[in-house]
Amino acid sequence: MKVEKIEQHTPVPSVIPQPSDQERAAAVKSVSGLVRAFAWSIHRPPTERRVSEYRTNIHLPRTYLATKGEDVKHVQCGTDINRFVHAHYMESPAIEEEKEWTNFVHEDEVVTRRHEYLGPDPRVAGYFFDKSGEIHIRWWDSFLKDQWMDNNKWTLNVAMDPSGKWVVEED
């Protein structure tokens, strides 16, 4: 008579244990640090592609914290969003606009670029897709140590996925 060994499998818990506030704070700090580290400087061409999967609008602030409003432009499906944003901010603003705005890079009358009104070192930290599918840019300024989007400051929320890994949770 042959005896077969039956292996017992430990059941996977169906409920993920809730992390403590300290663990969540550490995860937010870690994920935020990674987002800032990978933010690309707007005055240099992006090295990675971020392709739009559908037609939508993108909100492009004119100044730091969008104090002078924003431009809303249409983005086609298949457009590289990073290149689109870079090209927009490398253009010169209208002459009447730049006289009233604070230029963080220089004050003399040389050729200015739109990114010079966003802060001393504006970097694209990512994008936020609102409920209607429109794109908002998450900015990180490494000189000011400030993160902003449109006319507000932004923070990342994290949650634990079913596998126990921390993921960014959108509002």
Side-chain angles (χ1 to χ4, degrees):
M1 184 165 152
K2 188 175 181 181
V3 177
E4 293 183 24
K5 183 178 178 185
I6 300 175
E7 294 183 26
Q8 292 183 344
H9 297 285
T10 50
V12 177
S14 60
V15 178
I16 299 171
Q18 292 298 319
S20 69
D21 290 339
Q22 290 176 334
E23 291 172 321
R24 183 176 301 283
V28 166
K29 183 177 179 181
S30 175
V31 171
S32 295
L34 284 172
V35 167
R36 291 183 198 128
F38 286 106
W40 56 275
S41 186
I42 193 66
H43 70 276
R44 292 201 164 92
T47 57
E48 294 182 4
R49 293 178 52 116
R50 180 75 189 261
V51 178
S52 177
E53 297 178 4
Y54 50 87
R55 292 174 41 184
T56 187
N57 292 323
I58 186 165
H59 297 256
L60 303 158
R62 295 181 186 135
T63 57
Y64 174 70
L65 284 173
T67 55
K68 303 294 183 185
E70 63 185 13
D71 296 320
V72 179
K73 293 199 172 181
H74 188 71
V75 176
Q76 294 291 335
C77 179
T79 301
D80 183 350
I81 301 169
N82 287 343
R83 292 230 177 254
F84 185 90
V85 169
H86 173 71
H88 174 78
Y89 285 107
M90 290 307 292
E91 294 174 356
S92 293
I95 300 295
E96 64 275 0
E97 294 173 343
E98 67 182 68
K99 299 287 185 199
E100 305 170 8
W101 301 351
T102 302
N103 187 320
F104 287 90
V105 179
H106 55 77
E107 293 182 12
D108 42 355
E109 295 295 322
V110 297
V111 178
T112 58
R113 303 285 181 233
R114 285 185 172 143
H115 70 81
E116 297 173 4
Y117 300 97
L118 298 176
D121 188 22
R123 297 167 182 258
V124 176
Y127 302 100
F128 173 76
F129 295 82
D130 64 18
K131 291 180 181 176
S132 61
E134 294 190 354
I135 304 169
H136 302 266
I137 304 169
R138 285 187 170 136
W139 295 99
W140 160 248
D141 193 300
S142 63
F143 183 80
L144 298 175
K145 304 289 186 231
D146 191 19
Q147 49 195 40
W148 58 280
M149 178 175 60
D150 300 332
N151 59 353
N152 298 309
K153 307 292 181 160
W154 61 267
T155 58
L156 292 177
N157 296 321
V158 296
M160 198 172 275
D161 71 3
S163 66
K165 295 180 183 175
W166 290 104
V167 294
V168 175
E169 183 178 59
E170 296 293 344
D171 295 335

